[in-house]
Amino acid sequence: MYERSILHFDGNEWIKFERSCRISDTFTYEFWVKADEAQIMDEERNTGADGIGGRNFLVGPGFYPEGAAGCGISVGTNGISVYEHSVNHLPARMVFAYDFSDWQHVAVVCDEKKLRLYINGVGVKGESLPTSAGQLIPSLCLGGHEHYGTFKGQVREFRLWSTARSELEIRNSMFMSLGGDEAGLYFYRDPERGLSVTGGVRRYLDVSVIIPSFNKCPLNYFSLLSLERQHFPMERMEVVFLDDASTDHTPTMYYSLLPEFSFIYVQQLRNKGRSRIRNIGASLASGYTLLFADAEMISGPDWVMNHVRHHQQGERKIVSGAMRSKHLYTMTDPDYSPEQIVDMAEIYEGHPTAAPIIHEFMQGSQPPIQLLPFEWMFDPDHLDQWSRRNGYFQPLLDTYGYRFKLFHYAWLNLITSNVSIRKNFFDELGGFEEDFIGFGWEDWELGYRAAISGALFIHDDSLTNYHQAHPISDRNMLDSRTNYLLFCQKHPRSMEVRLLALTMLPDWITLPELNDYLSEYNNIRAIYKNRFTVLDQYLNKAFDLLLDRLGQQEDIKLPIAPSVLGEGSEAALHEEIAGIQGLESFPNLLKLVERISKYFY
């Protein structure tokens, strides 16, 4: 969304930087704008509701009861309109025809509720009719209004002042980026410089927590409440929450929160997908460190603090506690699988509040019900007792330690349910690859690129958070396989990536075994550069066939294909295998060859 300090709006999104501004009657909007489509040019009025639909709101007007009104600005290629919004009241107070199909500088000045318009530093219009509102309040909802229309185009250097700027002041600063300490500056952001001014205060943000969400209400609400309870200075953190076109009650949740941290709410009307939505969040973030979390993750009170501590030194760290995450249930849900229902009942057996609710649920009482009161939902001691730890990665951590010494696949530690990275490193890597659609692998692909760029991967148990169980989509397995194949296409000659195909076959393989295979494959190629070329050809052809079979989206049955090599090459392969056996240094590589040979007739 932000690209080189330019905000791009596609007409299907808006950003709420602040619920309600704490200034009124006297203020100034300034911005550079370039519109992509024309707008309706209403007649100027101080009564009526002309703007109730189909407008191009760059600044979506807030709603206020009678006696006050919210100020909004609509911009199209053909002109600009300034509206005010109250009960049955949305007239265009000021309308001016102008060509905004290319970059123009705009200043809308409100001086004791009287409007003035400046374009490119020149005053072009004053209001023709006075407001009927007792109080006029600016808005910081950029990109559109949920009911009345959205803006399509680009904006840069957007700023809101708590003063009525003069023509000279506008001209003197219109071509300059701000430092954030200017007198009267109420709102300004420049993520590239890590600059954030909110409520008239420049904030030095250590961390931006980025949370994408799609149909996870009320679990996402519980997650946000856990962030309100962090033992971390609220003025030094922000949360960028991205609603990726949810169809549940997520949009209404915004009005239930009054956090002390800076809270940015991004609303998408069209689903962007896991990679794109996270990149949008990262582009909006002004924090020194990016901390990614899934919408259903409840965090302990030291979670943010412990993440930030890791990034106080060292530029290229990927830090996570996801490999030992715990899962629990905060709600009943009629869409749980039978296995999830059994798991929920086992976890909460004997629990004073959850067990009776689950009993009723299993008897056929199906409406979703909250299982834990808030005093327990955010108590780590209680959650530790009534949750289950993910044990999948434990052998890996036991073998290679929490810094993954001698483990080639340390990049698997980049799991977006709980991971932090410095913003400048994330930007250097180019963010998440946006070709990934659906569930899985977009985080590990970024981790792989980070490893190539010299990242240090760290697991820390103090960063463990709690995954709230939810119904699992039937598409997840299919999406995961498709995205893995896309990963392979992006890195076609990487044996490191191709070996992971073995984790998708019926004869299960562990990650330490995979690591041993890769270590000896790399070693033999490094030591004997011009030897064992038939073996290398054999392995690559075998994996080509394996990936092709995975792409057929069928259940894999072994063996899967005829012999990989022709008769002459088979003899040469056996000769090379005998040579490797004679070296007595590569037992795991020989195990890999034996495993692969079973997959073919």
Side-chain angles (χ1 to χ4, degrees):
M1 182 171 283
Y2 258 114
E3 184 178 343
R4 296 179 181 176
S5 297
I6 297 174
L7 265 173
H8 297 257
F9 291 102
D10 63 10
N12 294 288
E13 60 204 346
W14 56 83
I15 313 165
K16 297 177 181 178
F17 286 104
E18 191 170 323
R19 183 189 298 182
S20 181
C21 292
R22 297 188 294 276
I23 56 175
S24 63
D25 296 343
T26 297
F27 53 86
T28 301
Y29 284 110
E30 284 189 77
F31 51 85
W32 288 87
V33 63
K34 179 181 178 182
D36 290 343
E37 40 183 43
Q39 69 159 355
I40 297 170
M41 301 291 284
D42 288 316
E43 181 182 352
E44 288 185 358
R45 304 174 186 268
N46 59 5
T47 61
D50 293 332
I52 59 171
R55 302 312 187 263
N56 299 29
F57 279 111
L58 168 59
V59 179
F63 174 79
Y64 293 90
E66 291 187 48
C71 181
I73 304 172
S74 177
V75 183
T77 54
N78 56 332
I80 184 170
S81 306
V82 183
Y83 291 82
E84 62 181 34
H85 187 207
S86 185
V87 180
N88 299 319
H89 181 80
L90 191 54
R93 288 269 318 284
M94 179 183 287
V95 180
F96 188 74
Y98 200 82
D99 182 4
F100 288 102
S101 61
D102 205 348
W103 286 104
Q104 312 290 347
H105 185 269
V106 172
V108 175
V109 178
C110 183
D111 189 356
E112 294 296 330
K113 298 185 288 186
K114 296 179 180 179
L115 298 176
R116 301 194 303 268
L117 176 65
Y118 298 82
I119 295 180
N120 298 323
V122 177
V124 296
K125 190 167 186 176
E127 66 177 28
S128 58
L129 296 168
T131 180
S132 59
Q135 188 181 23
L136 192 59
I137 304 170
S139 166
L140 283 171
C141 179
L142 304 190
H145 189 281
E146 57 191 309
H147 301 301
Y148 306 140
T150 56
F151 172 74
K152 189 174 183 180
Q154 301 172 55
V155 184
R156 59 184 170 88
E157 286 297 320
F158 185 95
R159 50 192 78 163
L160 175 62
W161 304 82
S162 60
T163 60
R165 302 271 283 173
S166 68
E167 185 169 315
L168 181 60
E169 288 174 319
I170 293 167
R171 286 182 180 178
N172 285 344
S173 65
M174 60 186 282
F175 294 107
M176 299 168 51
S177 295
L178 301 182
D181 298 318
E182 290 78 1
L185 184 61
Y186 183 84
F187 173 85
Y188 180 71
R189 288 182 73 84
D190 187 345
E192 281 200 339
R193 293 188 289 147
L195 181 56
S196 173
V197 178
T198 304
V201 178
R202 177 172 179 173
R203 293 176 181 262
Y204 297 87
L205 297 171
D206 292 313
V207 60
S208 298
V209 183
I210 298 171
I211 303 178
S213 183
F214 177 68
N215 288 347
K216 289 295 189 298
C217 192
L219 308 186
N220 49 21
Y221 176 60
F222 302 153
S223 298
L224 289 168
L225 290 179
S226 75
L227 292 177
E228 290 185 347
R229 292 158 168 80
Q230 292 297 300
H231 296 162
F232 189 80
M234 293 288 127
E235 70 276 7
R236 300 189 70 89
M237 66 179 279
E238 68 179 3
V239 174
V240 183
F241 183 90
L242 303 109
D243 180 357
D244 200 12
S246 295
T247 56
D248 62 4
H249 295 293
T250 293
T252 64
M253 174 199 64
Y254 175 76
Y255 299 99
S256 301
L257 294 163
L258 282 171
E260 295 180 35
F261 51 73
S262 179
F263 185 51
I264 300 170
Y265 187 98
V266 181
Q267 177 68 65
Q268 296 289 339
L269 297 180
R270 294 182 182 173
N271 187 271
K272 301 290 188 182
R274 296 160 63 92
S275 292
R276 176 64 180 147
I277 198 67
R278 289 191 178 97
N279 284 343
I280 289 172
S283 75
L284 291 169
S286 291
Y288 185 69
T289 297
L290 304 181
L291 175 47
F292 292 94
D294 284 347
E296 65 274 14
M297 306 303 292
I298 288 177
S299 305
D302 296 327
W303 183 68
V304 170
M305 179 176 63
N306 289 338
H307 264 289
V308 170
R309 176 173 50 80
H310 277 285
H311 295 281
Q312 291 176 345
Q313 293 182 337
E315 292 284 341
R316 299 171 112 71
K317 292 179 181 176
I318 308 291
V319 183
S320 177
M323 284 190 171
R324 281 172 55 83
S325 66
K326 298 179 179 181
H327 81 269
L328 50 74
Y329 295 80
T330 55
M331 298 288 295
T332 60
D333 195 309
D335 293 326
Y336 283 154
S337 68
E339 294 79 11
Q340 285 179 304
I341 293 172
V342 170
D343 183 51
M344 177 174 62
E346 290 178 352
I347 286 177
Y348 285 123
E349 184 177 0
H351 190 279
T353 64
I357 295 171
I358 293 169
H359 176 76
E360 291 295 322
F361 174 77
M362 297 179 73
Q363 299 304 310
S365 177
Q366 293 295 305
I369 298 176
Q370 184 175 325
L371 293 170
L372 300 175
F374 284 163
E375 60 264 28
W376 288 345
M377 190 180 292
F378 307 116
D379 178 356
D381 292 335
H382 191 88
L383 297 184
D384 287 340
Q385 182 180 355
W386 302 96
S387 62
R388 279 186 174 162
R389 188 179 292 281
N390 172 17
Y392 176 77
F393 292 105
Q394 192 59 51
L396 183 158
L397 295 170
D398 290 341
T399 303
Y400 303 105
Y402 285 12
R403 296 204 172 203
F404 307 101
K405 186 178 181 180
L406 302 179
F407 184 53
H408 297 289
Y409 294 94
W411 45 269
L412 296 176
N413 190 51
L414 200 160
I415 301 172
T416 46
S417 63
N418 177 3
V419 69
S420 60
I421 177 175
R422 279 199 184 175
K423 180 175 170 64
N424 58 0
F425 188 28
F426 180 87
D427 291 341
E428 177 188 326
L429 294 171
F432 295 96
E433 285 281 358
E434 296 182 5
D435 296 339
F436 290 97
I437 304 298
F439 176 80
W441 292 93
E442 80 287 345
D443 47 1
W444 285 344
E445 194 278 337
L446 176 61
Y448 178 73
R449 284 186 281 121
I452 293 173
S453 296
L456 170 64
F457 295 87
I458 300 171
H459 169 84
D460 183 347
D461 274 354
S462 75
L463 305 176
T464 297
N465 53 6
Y466 305 87
H467 178 261
Q468 300 173 79
H470 54 83
I472 305 299
S473 171
D474 294 336
R475 286 196 53 85
N476 280 7
M477 190 63 71
L478 180 62
D479 287 348
S480 178
R481 185 185 291 187
T482 300
N483 282 344
Y484 167 67
L485 294 173
L486 178 60
F487 189 172
C488 292
Q489 292 171 18
K490 291 181 177 296
H491 308 280
R493 304 322 302 172
S494 170
M495 184 59 70
E496 187 173 342
V497 175
R498 288 156 74 87
L499 275 169
L500 287 165
L502 300 180
T503 66
M504 301 182 185
L505 300 179
D507 56 339
W508 183 251
I509 186 171
T510 67
L511 290 172
E513 286 178 296
L514 211 62
N515 191 69
D516 290 341
Y517 292 165
L518 182 61
S519 292
E520 294 192 2
Y521 173 81
N522 289 340
N523 288 343
I524 202 168
R525 294 187 72 206
I527 297 169
Y528 303 99
K529 294 181 180 178
N530 299 315
R531 226 177 137 187
F532 308 119
T533 56
V534 178
L535 173 65
D536 198 47
Q537 179 187 13
Y538 169 76
L539 290 175
N540 277 291
K541 283 191 173 183
F543 278 102
D544 286 342
L545 292 170
L546 284 173
L547 296 175
D548 181 67
R549 177 55 61 90
L550 287 172
Q552 296 175 22
Q553 304 297 351
E554 302 172 351
D555 290 337
I556 303 295
K557 297 180 180 179
L558 303 178
I560 64 170
S563 178
V564 176
L565 302 173
E567 290 186 7
S569 297
E570 287 279 1
L573 174 65
H574 289 307
E575 183 177 338
E576 288 191 358
I577 290 173
I580 293 171
Q581 290 171 333
L583 295 173
E584 298 184 349
S585 299
F586 302 97
N588 292 302
L589 180 62
L590 293 172
K591 289 180 182 178
L592 171 62
V593 174
E594 182 181 0
R595 177 185 288 270
I596 292 292
S597 68
K598 296 176 181 177
Y599 299 158
F600 303 96
Y601 298 112

